[in-house]
Amino acid sequence: MECSFTAPILGNYSDSLPTNVTDQTYFRIASISKVFTVLALLIEQQTGRLSLKDPITKYVPELRDCKNSSAIDWESITLEALASQLSGIPREYVQSDLADPVVDREYGLRDPVDAGFPPLDDGEVPKCGRNRPGQRPCSRKELIDGFIQRPPAFEPNGRATYCNVAFVLLGFALETLTGLTYDEIVKKTVFDPVGMQRAMLKKPPDSEGVIPNMTNDWDADIGTYGPYDFQAFFSSISNNCSTGGIYTTASDLALFARSILAKQSLATVDTNAWFKPHSYSSSWEFAYGMPWEIFRTSDLIPDSDRIQTIITKAGSLTGYTSQLLLIPEHDVGIVLLVAGESRALAWLREEMLRNVIPAIETIAREQTNDRLSGTYTASYSPIDSSVSVEVQGSWGLVLTSWISNGTDFLTRYVDMRKRKEDGPGKVQLTPSGIKRGSKGEVWRAQFVPDKVASSGIINTHVITDVDQLNYASRSLDEFVFELDASGNAVEVELPALRVKLRRRPDPEGQHSFSARLRNLMKPLGLGH
């Protein structure tokens, strides 16, 4: 689904009048570019050409050679630490420097000295950077020579803090490894394989983009932080935009989101690891990944306090804000691009999450109920074994009956799995994400109490705790649903009990969405 809006007044276009915004319109995506940098690194690691455990000095030798002139322990800083905001190095070089008059104006300062800052000698002010009129961007050498003079912010792997220079250095590392420029690297490893035909690192024509009617960075040359053709100035310097320089469209960024969720660029195991946090922040809800900003919330589903994990990356340049959101649990991606007032993005994000996620949750429950719910029985006598499963609101898929050889096995299973302090609850089935053969879908059973009993400051109860009980080396909580060509279950295997049970036909369609809707409407006299 795509939705675009064009403001009634736009900015100045050099080659045309403003055009309506569509999913093919170029935006600056700023720090979402960091995701492409990390993906390129992960692809190189997958091929065995590098390891994220390698120190940055292996690929940026200038940092190895500055051991006696830098207070930063570069040998202890790995590619992984840089990618996960755990390097401990300072955030910027030149950017956000209050010695720059352009930055001063952004912070409401007319003159730093008048505001209480000491006067500076000319030699203390960097000679490169994007902010001063007519001043060229920093070269690789200038950035490194200047940056290594700064002290660290934290110890490596000690505490996470956002850092743009980390991704500049990762771009340098990729260039050293491949012998290509950064724009050639992401085109070869990401843009082309994904089909992102409208992603680039140099400014597109104004007529193909959206320029807001405000101060903006549409055509800003931000040096090693973004799009700039260094070849015009330095024959040995590349076009490095690895921290925030990509221009692209909503359509192409949506393709990118789909490719990540579909695990097209990385193996499943590597994608799963990529989605995991690397460090926590001062907030309960937020953690840093590579380079993800990972949020966890229980506020999105009205009838449930189940935690939803949202994998995000935001970007911001003057006049442009953007965010990529992935919800792997539902296989959903959301792309938000704004040119103009930054508050619009926060409003859009809130509206999308609060309306889309509950709707998707409802659809997921209905689909699961249609695919798997029902009673499964032994197809041969004299075996008296069966299971019944159904979706029960926020509980998801639960076992409502479990008979094994004529025994009430559901009660026996609960007695074996619940703790003494637990109250009543249900046996919940959780998808494992594992396939068995070509059509088998593995789910895991677990007893979940209605209310988790408190055990003090540290609660030792773990909701997802499977494979605790086995019978002759086969897991008691493993349920393998055999699916037909439409993805609907026809059989369930219980490996520990050495039995396969056939799904009982549902001639009246009692588990279909339409049938359940009719049942809900019967009390109103409308269920016909």
Side-chain angles (χ1 to χ4, degrees):
M1 182 179 72
E2 180 270 331
C3 182
S4 302
F5 172 78
T6 305
I9 301 176
L10 292 174
N12 297 318
Y13 288 63
S14 64
D15 58 355
S16 74
L17 293 173
T19 55
N20 286 335
V21 174
T22 72
D23 65 345
Q24 298 298 315
T25 300
Y26 279 102
F27 288 75
R28 296 202 74 160
I29 63 169
S31 284
I32 295 178
S33 305
K34 292 177 172 67
V35 181
F36 293 82
T37 301
V38 172
L39 181 55
L41 286 165
L42 290 169
I43 291 171
E44 294 296 343
Q45 177 174 254
Q46 190 170 256
T47 63
R49 298 184 67 189
L50 61 72
S51 168
L52 290 180
K53 302 297 184 183
D54 290 338
I56 185 62
T57 51
K58 182 174 180 179
Y59 305 99
V60 186
E62 303 99 310
L63 299 176
R64 182 188 62 226
D65 299 339
C66 73
K67 183 175 181 179
N68 296 326
S69 57
S70 178
I72 297 172
D73 182 9
W74 292 106
E75 291 286 354
S76 298
I77 297 174
T78 63
L79 303 179
E80 183 177 46
L82 290 163
S84 56
Q85 307 289 20
L86 278 167
S87 66
I89 66 175
R91 174 178 173 134
E92 311 283 6
Y93 179 66
V94 179
Q95 303 287 93
S96 302
D97 193 325
L98 293 170
D100 188 312
V102 175
V103 177
D104 288 344
R105 289 195 294 273
E106 292 177 0
Y107 286 87
L109 302 178
R110 294 185 177 182
D111 185 329
V113 176
D114 289 343
F117 290 91
L120 295 172
D121 295 332
D122 187 59
E124 295 181 83
V125 180
K127 301 301 181 185
C128 61
R130 74 177 177 101
N131 297 313
R132 290 174 178 266
Q135 190 174 43
R136 57 177 173 74
C138 295
S139 69
R140 171 171 171 159
K141 183 178 187 306
E142 287 173 318
L143 183 137
I144 292 176
D145 286 350
F147 188 74
I148 62 175
Q149 306 304 316
R150 300 200 63 195
F154 298 108
E155 292 180 334
N157 295 315
R159 183 172 179 177
T161 184
Y162 199 86
C163 179
N164 280 316
V165 174
F167 291 84
V168 176
L169 298 177
L170 291 174
F172 291 162
L174 283 167
E175 292 179 331
T176 300
L177 176 72
T178 63
L180 303 173
T181 61
Y182 178 77
D183 52 344
E184 292 170 335
I185 294 164
V186 291
K187 187 176 189 303
K188 177 181 177 181
T189 60
V190 184
F191 294 168
D192 288 349
V194 170
M196 298 178 67
Q197 299 179 3
R198 290 177 67 79
M200 62 177 63
L201 293 125
K202 293 183 180 179
K203 185 180 78 67
D206 291 359
S207 57
E208 297 184 29
V210 55
I211 303 175
N213 186 36
M214 60 184 293
T215 302
N216 65 77
D217 280 339
W218 171 251
D219 58 357
D221 290 332
I222 51 179
T224 48
Y225 287 84
Y228 196 87
D229 186 3
F230 287 115
Q231 301 294 339
F233 292 93
F234 307 95
S235 60
S236 62
I237 297 170
S238 67
N239 176 17
N240 187 299
C241 322
S242 50
T243 200
I246 294 175
Y247 293 81
T248 192
T249 67
S251 176
D252 267 15
L253 202 52
L255 278 177
F256 182 59
R258 292 190 197 103
S259 74
I260 295 174
L261 291 168
K263 303 177 174 72
Q264 291 178 6
S265 299
L266 296 174
T268 297
V269 63
D270 294 325
T271 303
N272 291 341
W274 191 21
F275 286 159
K276 297 298 183 288
H278 281 247
S279 63
Y280 298 99
S281 70
S282 57
S283 166
W284 286 107
E285 298 89 2
F286 175 77
Y288 280 113
M290 289 195 316
W292 303 114
E293 292 128 19
I294 301 172
F295 295 88
R296 306 190 78 204
T297 178
S298 59
D299 293 338
L300 290 178
I301 303 173
D303 64 350
S304 172
D305 59 0
R306 190 175 85 251
I307 292 173
Q308 299 278 312
T309 300
I310 307 173
I311 313 293
T312 80
K313 185 69 195 82
S316 178
L317 284 167
T318 303
Y320 295 90
T321 48
S322 54
Q323 194 157 26
L324 171 64
L325 304 99
L326 305 175
I327 303 109
E329 177 181 349
H330 292 299
D331 205 28
V332 166
I334 299 172
V335 172
L336 301 174
L337 302 176
V338 171
E341 175 55 60
S342 61
R343 288 179 296 178
L345 186 131
W347 179 84
L348 279 171
R349 180 181 61 230
E350 197 75 5
E351 289 297 306
M352 288 291 291
L353 291 175
R354 291 203 178 278
N355 289 280
V356 170
I357 300 305
I360 292 171
E361 174 74 12
T362 299
I363 292 169
R365 292 177 188 178
E366 297 293 350
Q367 290 177 337
T368 301
N369 209 60
D370 290 342
R371 291 195 318 114
L372 304 178
S373 287
T375 298
Y376 298 74
T377 59
S379 58
Y380 46 90
S381 348
I383 300 296
D384 181 13
S385 296
S386 65
V387 296
S388 295
V389 298
E390 68 178 25
V391 172
Q392 293 186 355
S394 62
W395 282 93
L397 192 66
V398 299
L399 275 169
T400 57
S401 172
W402 187 359
I403 306 296
S404 179
N405 293 323
T407 302
D408 180 1
F409 207 75
L410 180 59
T411 299
R412 189 173 302 278
Y413 178 83
V414 170
D415 289 342
M416 289 188 290
R417 286 307 313 271
K418 76 185 288 191
R419 304 177 303 167
K420 292 180 180 179
E421 61 267 33
D422 287 334
K426 299 181 188 296
V427 176
Q428 190 178 64
L429 292 176
T430 303
S432 71
I434 295 174
K435 302 297 182 183
R436 185 71 51 81
S438 61
K439 298 180 181 178
E441 194 172 280
V442 180
W443 289 60
R444 292 284 186 165
Q446 52 193 335
F447 173 76
V448 181
D450 292 337
K451 184 177 181 181
V452 177
S454 175
S455 57
I457 294 173
I458 297 178
N459 194 334
T460 58
H461 181 69
V462 180
I463 294 295
T464 307
D465 183 13
V466 301
D467 203 38
Q468 182 177 350
L469 297 176
N470 294 272
Y471 187 62
S473 297
R474 298 189 186 182
S475 178
L476 188 58
D477 59 35
E478 186 176 57
F479 286 62
V480 184
F481 290 94
E482 189 76 13
L483 310 178
D484 62 16
S486 300
N488 296 315
V490 295
E491 180 180 89
V492 64
E493 179 185 2
L494 311 180
L497 302 183
R498 276 70 174 175
V499 67
K500 293 183 179 181
L501 307 173
R502 297 291 295 179
R503 191 181 189 184
R504 184 181 296 168
D506 184 19
E508 296 182 2
Q510 64 185 27
H511 293 294
S512 71
F513 173 71
S514 57
R516 290 194 301 280
L517 183 61
R518 287 197 301 270
N519 289 333
L520 288 172
M521 298 173 73
K522 279 181 180 178
L524 302 177
L526 301 172
H528 303 288

